Amino acid sequence: QFIEGHHKEVCLKFPLPCPNKCEANSIPREDIDEHRKKCPLEEVNCPNGCGTLLQQQYLNHHAENICRCRIVQCQHCRISGQHQFIEGEHKDKCSKFPLPCPNRCEVGRVLREELQEHIQVCPLEIVSCDYHTVGCGTRMARKDRSKHNRKMMEQHLSFTLQQLMSTQQNLVATQVEGANMKQQLALAHQQIGVLSEKLEHFENKTGQALKTTKATMRKELKQNISVAEKNVVGTLRKELKQSIADTEKKVMQKLDTTQQELTTISETLKSAQLHGAQETYDDDSDDDYDDQYEYDDGQYDHYDHQYDDDHQYDDYHQCDDYDYYDD
């Protein structure tokens, strides 16, 4: 029961048919994976990367003949590339690719790089008559141009004669126009000479006027500077005198105030001296009284002397020579 049951499901040697139903019907379970790698009916992806899924039996034919990504060589220029590139973009640009003559001449096909040269000599190319510059407007195949020239020789000569006469007329007109231009050029030279003389005269006149203007401007500038200097100096002197007067006034007011203060201080000191002398007389210590009295008397003499000096300063400023000392 074990052999026919569980063991049968896991036995590596148990024969199994191909999962792709190929001709192999008895493959050991352990060889199934190897068999699938070679099985012709196993589906695989194209190795060229085109994305196609197909059976292995068709893989080589697809990869070598059908796959758009297979590597091929251009049969004309021998360049290699993917089939889709060679047969697409490259084919439209390949310089060696044979193209039919656009005029369908007997040459048949011409290489792309030689096509323009062929058109320049192609016998069936439509070209203009050799005498188109003189008036013949006929167009024909290149191979028929010689025949056309022989047939239309008289007409071509007529066209040429008319063109020659027209050229002579144009030449005469050109000569006349050239003579007129020479006359106009000579007249222009004369006018240029006259204008040059006028310009030189104007430059001389302008130079003289410029010199006169410069001299006048310099003179006026000096006068203006002199007047300005006088005005500035006068203003400064006036302001300086006013400033000196204001300063003197302030100093005198300050001296008067100081004099009043000194007078008050002197009176205060005299009163304090008298009061201090009485207090010292009543004191028990005669030595202290003498010292205090000498100190007060010396202080009184000091302030009294300063008071006399201030009155002397005041009398000095009230003298008749005030203006002299002030200066």
Side-chain angles (χ1 to χ4, degrees):
Q1 183 178 1
F2 171 75
I3 295 299
E4 293 296 329
H6 177 70
H7 179 70
K8 185 178 180 179
E9 297 295 331
V10 297
C11 180
L12 297 179
K13 301 297 183 180
F14 189 80
L16 296 173
C18 174
N20 297 318
K21 298 182 180 181
C22 70
E23 296 178 354
N25 295 323
S26 181
I27 305 170
R29 178 179 277 111
E30 62 183 358
D31 296 333
I32 286 295
D33 292 338
E34 280 298 321
H35 170 74
R36 294 186 65 178
K37 293 179 181 179
K38 301 177 181 180
C39 179
L41 302 183
E42 178 73 12
E43 291 186 345
V44 294
N45 289 315
C46 174
N48 295 327
C50 68
T52 303
L53 186 66
L54 70 165
Q55 293 178 351
Q56 287 194 99
Q57 59 182 338
Y58 304 119
L59 181 61
N60 291 335
H61 176 74
H62 167 80
E64 294 176 1
N65 303 297
I66 301 175
C67 181
R68 66 178 184 275
C69 294
R70 70 186 186 274
I71 302 300
V72 296
Q73 190 178 56
C74 176
Q75 60 180 337
H76 306 292
C77 66
R78 302 304 177 185
I79 188 174
S80 298
Q82 291 186 348
H83 180 269
Q84 59 184 354
F85 168 74
I86 295 296
E87 294 298 324
E89 181 180 352
H90 174 71
K91 187 176 181 180
D92 296 334
K93 298 179 180 179
C94 180
S95 60
K96 303 294 184 181
F97 189 83
L99 296 173
C101 173
N103 300 316
R104 301 179 182 277
C105 70
E106 59 185 8
V107 175
R109 289 182 172 270
V110 184
L111 298 181
R112 179 178 276 116
E113 64 183 3
E114 299 175 355
L115 183 60
Q116 293 301 321
E117 295 180 3
H118 169 72
I119 290 176
Q120 299 298 323
V121 297
C122 179
L124 298 184
E125 177 71 10
I126 302 300
V127 295
S128 298
C129 175
D130 290 336
Y131 295 88
H132 70 280
T133 57
V134 295
C136 182
T138 305
R139 293 178 61 81
M140 72 222 72
R142 181 177 279 109
K143 66 182 182 64
D144 298 330
R145 187 158 56 182
S146 298
K147 181 179 178 180
H148 168 77
N149 290 338
R150 290 192 300 269
K151 182 179 179 180
M152 302 294 294
M153 183 179 298
E154 293 182 0
Q155 190 173 0
H156 289 166
L157 289 176
S158 177
F159 287 149
T160 304
L161 181 60
Q162 293 177 3
Q163 183 68 29
L164 180 60
M165 293 177 63
S166 177
T167 303
Q168 289 178 347
Q169 293 176 358
N170 293 334
L171 179 60
V172 172
T174 303
Q175 290 176 350
V176 173
E177 185 178 358
N180 293 333
M181 291 181 66
K182 286 182 179 179
Q183 293 178 357
Q184 294 177 0
L185 183 61
L187 181 61
H189 281 301
Q190 293 177 0
Q191 293 177 352
I192 291 173
V194 173
L195 291 174
S196 298
E197 293 177 358
K198 291 182 178 180
L199 180 60
E200 184 178 358
H201 177 70
F202 177 76
E203 288 178 349
N204 294 333
K205 187 176 180 180
T206 303
Q208 294 176 358
L210 183 61
K211 291 180 180 179
T212 303
T213 303
K214 287 183 177 178
T216 303
M217 292 180 66
R218 287 176 180 173
K219 184 176 180 181
E220 293 178 353
L221 181 60
K222 290 181 178 179
Q223 292 177 355
N224 293 334
I225 292 174
S226 177
V227 172
E229 288 179 349
K230 291 180 180 178
N231 293 336
V232 171
V233 171
T235 303
L236 291 175
R237 287 177 178 175
K238 185 177 180 181
E239 292 179 353
L240 181 60
K241 289 182 178 180
Q242 184 64 35
S243 178
I244 292 172
D246 294 340
T247 303
E248 289 178 350
K249 184 177 179 180
K250 292 179 181 180
V251 169
M252 294 302 297
Q253 292 176 355
K254 186 66 176 178
L255 289 174
D256 292 340
T257 303
T258 304
Q259 182 178 355
Q260 293 176 3
E261 292 177 355
L262 291 174
T263 301
T264 304
I265 292 172
S266 178
E267 293 175 354
T268 303
L269 289 174
K270 289 179 179 181
S271 177
Q273 182 180 11
L274 294 174
H275 182 69
Q278 292 177 359
E279 289 180 353
T280 305
Y281 181 78
D282 294 335
D283 194 350
D284 294 336
S285 178
D286 292 337
D287 295 333
D288 293 339
Y289 166 76
D290 293 336
D291 295 336
Q292 182 67 32
Y293 181 77
E294 290 177 2
Y295 172 78
D296 290 340
D297 186 57
Q299 185 178 17
Y300 170 77
D301 292 339
H302 170 73
Y303 282 105
D304 189 44
H305 178 70
Q306 185 176 6
Y307 172 77
D308 293 338
D309 292 340
D310 291 337
H311 276 278
Q312 184 180 0
Y313 174 84
D314 188 32
D315 294 339
Y316 169 76
H317 276 278
Q318 292 177 0
C319 68
D320 295 333
D321 297 334
Y322 169 77
D323 292 336
Y324 172 77
Y325 287 103
D326 185 51
D327 293 338

